[in-house]
Amino acid sequence: VKGGFPTFMEKEIHDQPKAVADTLLGRTDGHGNLVLDELRIDEAILRSVDKIIVIACGTAAYAGHVAKYAIEHWCRIPVEVELAHEFRYRDPVVNEKTLVVAISQSGETMDTIMAIRHAREQGAKVLAVVNTHGSTIARESDAVLYTHAGPEVAVASTKAFLAQITACYLLGLYLSQLRGNKYVDEVAGYLEELGKLPAKIQQVIDGEENVKEVARSMKDATSVLFLGRHVGYPVALEGALKLKELAYIHAEGFAAGELKHGPIALIDEGQPVFVIVPTPRRPTLHAKVVSNIQEVRARGARTLVIAEEGDEAVTEFADVVFRVPQTPTLMMPLVTVVPLQIFALALASAKGLDVDQPRNLAKSVTVE
Ligand code: M6R
């Protein structure tokens, strides 16, 4: 069942190229158009949507956070991302023109189910991005866009996360195609780029030994920080969550721009800091993150940098560099998160911990 791997989590990390490929499969017409008839939601409703609210918990919420950047860019629709348990207990502004996108691997997360019910009561349409067929969330939503990651057994989500992000890209591109705004011409190009992602993810996985070696050497670390900007920010949050839940280490993700608003006070000699660097083909964004690496390095941090192949600007300030293939900015999370998953897995394994079943956690949280 573990496909020859020692743990489910390791198998599931290796399943990721297939999870992304399967989520893309059969959803285009071969001419650069998306075909999502399976949504079975009135196109007129999707055209009239004036706000999207993504609700989810944990890793699924970070997928939603990535989706916000992509959907807002492609569709020019405002997107809010909210933890389902917070959405449920305030008084959100929701009406018939709101599309609520609920993301869940299990489809059984009670916090998310309650938020869906709350949204529907107020007239919103709910579209679920779910991995488990026939689950409660799939049944209770107006429309379902399934991720095809296959069963995920390890408590820490990996392949479901990549499949969720992929499905959200499809949703964003589909809405753009349907609503025909100035970015509609980009749809075919992005679909083509998405098609290249499984091979790129595989390339990152093929380099896993390098990441594992660094992780093993850090098994006595007591705190690790993660910095990212733009779509690198949710990747930083996810990297920190993986390390907390698997290795029981204090880990925190920050938006790199927040550093000087407080978190930089945490940096002292030897503090490990991961930095997720955007492509140098976005020079302004890239330069900002490179200067964030310098800032923490100058205060003694040990910098572990995730950067694109060919990005030489980072080498001077990086103690360690993990390379990812060149990828369009919005799609970078699909490759940049992979070294962070492998890092958390290897560090927890080096500590002798059970990576498939970390303490105090359940695979699906079916109570509020
Ligand atoms: O099944 P769901 O996607 O609704 O679960 C949401 C979270 O409970 C889940 O992503 C959790 O954060 C994972 N353990 C993270 O690895």
Side-chain angles (χ1 to χ4, degrees):
V1 279
K2 293 178 194 163
F5 292 97
T7 60
F8 280 107
M9 187 184 172
E10 186 146 9
K11 171 188 181 290
E12 288 161 7
I13 287 174
H14 283 256
D15 281 347
Q16 293 185 119
K18 185 172 179 334
V20 170
D22 288 352
T23 300
L24 295 172
L25 200 68
R27 285 170 164 165
T28 53
D29 65 359
H31 304 288
N33 298 304
L34 270 157
V35 188
L36 294 185
D37 297 342
E38 61 191 277
L39 284 184
R40 278 188 257 120
I41 191 165
D42 193 339
E43 289 188 0
I45 292 175
L46 293 178
R47 280 199 195 90
S48 70
V49 163
D50 65 5
K51 178 167 81 171
I52 293 177
I53 304 180
V54 182
I55 50 170
C57 302
T59 291
Y62 299 146
H65 202 146
V66 173
K68 172 183 166 77
Y69 290 84
I71 297 176
E72 286 192 338
H73 174 72
W74 292 327
C75 308
R76 313 311 300 150
I77 305 171
V79 181
E80 292 170 20
V81 186
E82 188 154 18
L83 295 168
H85 33 91
E86 285 297 318
F87 175 87
R88 168 75 181 83
Y89 288 101
R90 63 180 181 91
D91 188 12
V93 180
V94 174
N95 57 40
E96 293 73 17
K97 288 191 162 185
T98 311
L99 179 67
V100 168
V101 175
I103 307 179
S104 175
Q105 188 287 127
S106 62
E108 301 298 344
T109 299
M110 189 51 78
D111 288 315
T112 309
I113 295 170
M114 296 309 284
I116 290 171
R117 290 180 186 159
H118 189 57
R120 294 190 77 199
E121 273 161 22
Q122 291 167 83
K125 289 283 179 225
V126 176
L127 188 158
V129 173
V130 180
N131 198 44
T132 310
H133 281 254
S135 56
T136 308
I137 292 179
R139 283 184 281 108
E140 292 205 13
S141 298
D142 297 286
V144 186
L145 181 59
Y146 280 107
T147 48
H148 296 307
E152 191 180 64
V153 178
V155 165
S157 186
T158 54
K159 62 177 180 173
F161 179 60
L162 265 63
Q164 285 160 352
I165 294 174
T166 304
C168 288
Y169 291 147
L170 292 179
L171 176 64
L173 292 169
Y174 179 68
L175 291 175
S176 173
Q177 176 183 296
L178 199 68
R179 296 159 65 101
N181 61 24
K182 63 176 176 164
Y183 292 107
V184 71
D185 296 340
E186 294 185 6
V187 173
Y190 272 112
L191 284 177
E192 202 186 320
E193 287 296 338
L194 263 180
K196 298 179 193 165
L197 257 305
K200 293 183 185 189
I201 296 162
Q202 186 59 52
Q203 212 179 309
V204 182
I205 295 171
D206 291 343
E208 67 180 345
E209 208 34 59
N210 182 23
V211 184
K212 286 183 172 177
E213 212 178 289
V214 175
R216 286 182 207 118
S217 74
M218 288 172 64
K219 78 176 194 356
D220 298 321
T222 50
S223 162
V224 181
L225 305 180
F226 296 77
L227 297 179
R229 203 177 267 263
H230 193 261
V231 287
Y233 172 36
V235 171
L237 298 174
E238 172 63 3
L241 178 60
K242 288 289 91 94
L243 201 55
K244 280 177 224 177
E245 66 180 339
L246 294 168
Y248 319 149
I249 289 178
H250 169 255
E252 236 179 301
F254 299 106
E258 271 298 287
L259 257 185
K260 47 186 153 311
H261 300 284
I264 201 161
L266 288 169
I267 311 289
D268 64 2
E269 209 50 46
Q271 169 68 52
V273 181
F274 270 93
V275 187
I276 297 105
V277 183
T279 169
R281 283 165 287 116
R282 286 283 298 271
T284 325
L285 190 60
H286 178 262
K288 283 272 181 254
V289 178
V290 173
S291 82
N292 294 136
I293 311 174
Q294 283 175 263
E295 280 160 10
V296 292
R297 188 80 173 323
R299 287 160 181 84
R302 175 158 188 262
T303 54
L304 302 117
V305 172
I306 299 177
E308 255 189 21
E309 278 155 6
D311 179 354
E312 295 312 327
V314 298
T315 41
E316 192 186 339
F317 313 109
D319 291 296
V320 181
V321 186
F322 300 121
R323 294 289 178 186
V324 295
Q326 290 192 358
T327 305
T329 310
L330 286 169
M331 294 174 178
M332 284 192 84
L334 291 179
V335 285
T336 52
V337 78
V338 177
L340 300 180
Q341 299 167 335
I342 296 168
F343 178 82
L345 168 87
L347 201 152
S349 306
K351 288 176 82 168
L353 300 172
D354 180 347
V355 296
D356 285 339
Q357 187 55 72
R359 69 184 179 199
N360 307 340
L361 290 170
K363 181 62 182 160
S364 51
V365 182
T366 53
V367 289
E368 260 192 285

